[in-house]
Amino acid sequence: MHQLIYDGTLDAALVKGVYQVDEASLEQLVAARAAWVTVDEAAVLVGCTTTRIRRAVADGMVEQRAVLRAPTIRRADLEGLRPLVAAERRGEEQRRLDREQEASRPRRGDPPDDEHEWWTQAAVADVLGLSTSRIHQLVARESLPSTEHAGRRWFRSDHVLQVLSARAFRAAALRPPLD
């Protein structure tokens, strides 16, 4: 209090060795101090982190004054910062939802399900000893079952092995008997 009186912040009179502070001067000081909050208080009022408040100070969005104890922020500047922080939060939430949705979408390299063993068209062509274009022809004629998933054609291994077995059986049936 003595410092505030000495530097003229508070109007006071010395009466019989005791300072008597002017009530209006004290109310003015309280109002002036209420206009400023610490960085921690500002973060609570806005609903963000102290780092976000410091970034707003660095960007010139809010005014900060240096005082002996801790820097303070003008309370009135926080009103303009609240909608910005809320918009940033909504943007972060939307990005999180987009990431979750993207993660749940089937990717080109993912097979249709986990219940079966799935092969690509190139693998089927290799197993059957055919070209990939011939595999495509067999699919078009519905001679070889397949599934389209995430922009890629997939073949169940058990179906391919059935086709392979049928081809081997036909080839054996065409050979003359071994007497």
Side-chain angles (χ1 to χ4, degrees), residues 24-136:
S25 175
L26 185 60
E27 287 174 2
Q28 185 180 2
L29 175 66
V30 168
R33 287 201 171 177
W36 296 86
V37 293
T38 66
V39 172
D40 290 339
E41 291 169 336
V44 170
L45 289 171
V46 173
C48 65
T49 63
T50 57
T51 303
R52 179 63 185 99
I53 297 295
R54 288 188 182 95
R55 193 172 72 219
V57 168
D59 293 344
M61 298 173 68
V62 294
E63 183 183 343
Q64 176 178 325
R65 69 176 182 172
V67 291
L68 292 177
R69 280 175 265 136
T72 55
I73 307 294
R74 185 184 304 279
R75 185 184 298 263
D77 293 348
L78 299 179
E79 293 304 315
L81 190 58
R82 275 193 192 105
L84 180 64
V85 168
E88 287 173 354
R89 259 203 210 105
R90 286 190 303 273
E92 289 169 4
E93 179 66 16
Q94 186 60 50
R95 284 189 293 278
R96 184 189 65 78
L97 291 172
D98 291 346
R99 282 192 306 271
E100 287 177 4
Q101 187 178 14
E102 183 64 31
S104 67
R105 265 190 223 133
R107 293 181 304 235
R108 184 165 170 78
D110 290 345
D113 63 45
D114 294 330
E115 298 172 16
H116 302 93
E117 182 179 348
W118 294 93
W119 292 351
T120 63
Q121 188 165 335
V124 172
D126 191 43
V127 167
L128 295 179
L130 303 170
S131 67
T132 54
S133 60
R134 180 65 179 143
I135 298 297
H136 183 70

